[in-house]
Amino acid sequence: MGELIMSAPVAGLTSKIRIAAEDVAMLRHEVFGDGVVTRGEAEALFALDATAKDKCQEWPPFFVEAVTDYIVHQEKPSGYISQDNADWLIRTISRDGMVDSRTELELLVHVLEQAKSSPSQLCVYALEQVAHAVIDGKGPLMLGGTLAPGLIAQAEVELLRRILHAHGGDGNIAITRAEAEVLFKINECTAQGHNDPSWNELFVKAIANFHVLGRLRSTDARCGAAP
């Protein structure tokens, strides 16, 4: 699974049901000790996350920090997520098209927030996780209370806001057609529900920016066309 799993101290964790605070301290030393987080180490952390059913409160932030460091900062130029890393992340956290756990969902959003640039498919995939939650009541999006299919609550709106602002950069919302299609689907499938008022505000702003961006691109194309 990776070189971290092969080290004796970490290999011992694979048979443990619980990851304790002292285990996280040891892992932090192993992973960040040389200043480089490798894919093998990231894969090893995923393996530990899957096998240990009882994890201390220190585990999720460490897991998110370490894997984000690998995806966002270990390839040059730092801050730019490669297509290969985006594909790897989606493959690793997906089970039948859905993120497998709340920790992995937070990882996905955190990666988008930390990156200067990322492939659009990563943002689309993150938006789709919210769509699964609010349309079908499925997925790991249990941020407080029970998921109610056909309704978008404030927690889901805030998660969408984080995703869209992260991908837009500098607090902006600049979305692609694929991203807009996910938002239209969410809006259509929750139109009859008692949605949180913040959803309509976010949806209108995002789609308005999508249309503005489309017009700007159309203008650029016309201006660049041969006479």
Side-chain angles (χ1 to χ4, degrees), residues 6-46:
M6 300 306 293
S7 67
V10 180
L13 295 180
T14 60
S15 60
K16 293 180 62 174
I17 297 177
R18 172 171 171 76
I19 296 180
E22 55 267 27
D23 298 322
V24 173
M26 181 272 290
L27 287 167
R28 184 173 291 278
H29 175 75
E30 290 278 341
V31 172
F32 292 113
D34 60 0
V36 176
V37 181
T38 67
R39 177 169 293 192
E41 290 172 333
E43 289 175 342
L45 295 179
F46 271 108

Side-chain angles (χ1 to χ4, degrees), residues 62-129:
F62 162 70
F63 174 81
V64 169
E65 178 188 357
V67 179
T68 298
D69 188 271
Y70 161 67
I71 295 171
V72 178
H73 299 299
Q74 293 306 322
E75 287 194 5
K76 304 300 181 185
S78 176
Y80 293 80
I81 302 176
S82 67
Q83 186 66 53
D84 179 62
N85 275 349
D87 292 340
W88 173 81
L89 179 60
I90 292 175
R91 286 196 310 270
T92 304
I93 65 178
S94 292
R95 305 293 185 278
D96 298 322
M98 286 187 285
V99 174
D100 196 42
S101 70
R102 285 181 60 183
T103 301
E104 292 178 353
L105 179 63
E106 178 59 29
L107 167 65
L108 173 62
V109 178
H110 189 68
V111 162
L112 288 168
E113 289 177 326
Q114 292 299 306
K116 297 177 182 177
S117 177
S118 60
S120 177
Q121 77 179 97
L122 207 56
C123 183
V124 171
Y125 182 72
L127 294 173
E128 286 174 344
Q129 303 313 304

Side-chain angles (χ1 to χ4, degrees), residues 40-223:
E41 290 172 333
E43 289 175 342
L45 295 179
F46 271 108
L48 291 176
D49 189 59
T51 56
K53 303 306 179 185
D54 183 11
K55 309 177 187 73
C56 64
Q57 62 181 6
E58 290 83 1
W59 169 259
F62 162 70
F63 174 81
V64 169
E65 178 188 357
V67 179
T68 298
D69 188 271
Y70 161 67
I71 295 171
V72 178
H73 299 299
Q74 293 306 322
E75 287 194 5
K76 304 300 181 185
S78 176
Y80 293 80
I81 302 176
S82 67
Q83 186 66 53
D84 179 62
N85 275 349
D87 292 340
W88 173 81
L89 179 60
I90 292 175
R91 286 196 310 270
T92 304
I93 65 178
S94 292
R95 305 293 185 278
D96 298 322
M98 286 187 285
V99 174
D100 196 42
S101 70
R102 285 181 60 183
T103 301
E104 292 178 353
L105 179 63
E106 178 59 29
L107 167 65
L108 173 62
V109 178
H110 189 68
V111 162
L112 288 168
E113 289 177 326
Q114 292 299 306
K116 297 177 182 177
S117 177
S118 60
S120 177
Q121 77 179 97
L122 207 56
C123 183
V124 171
Y125 182 72
L127 294 173
E128 286 174 344
Q129 303 313 304
V130 184
H132 286 310
V134 301
I135 295 172
D136 305 316
K138 297 178 179 179
L141 194 56
M142 298 291 289
L143 300 180
T146 302
L147 290 174
L151 181 148
I152 182 163
Q154 185 177 9
E156 287 84 64
V157 176
E158 288 308 308
L159 186 58
L160 286 169
R161 193 185 308 278
R162 286 179 64 191
I163 295 168
L164 293 171
H165 280 289
H167 196 231
D170 298 325
N172 298 312
I173 298 180
I175 64 176
T176 66
R177 179 173 295 277
E179 294 158 5
E181 288 174 352
V182 178
L183 296 181
F184 274 118
K185 181 179 179 180
I186 290 173
N187 191 62
E188 179 181 356
C189 294
T190 64
Q192 302 306 313
H194 295 289
N195 293 332
D196 189 88
S198 59
W199 160 246
N200 188 63
E201 178 185 352
L202 179 65
F203 176 70
V204 170
K205 181 179 179 180
I207 298 306
N209 284 4
F210 166 66
H211 288 307
V212 168
L213 182 61
R215 288 197 297 271
L216 289 174
R217 286 174 176 170
S218 176
T219 300
D220 289 342
R222 289 196 301 272
C223 290

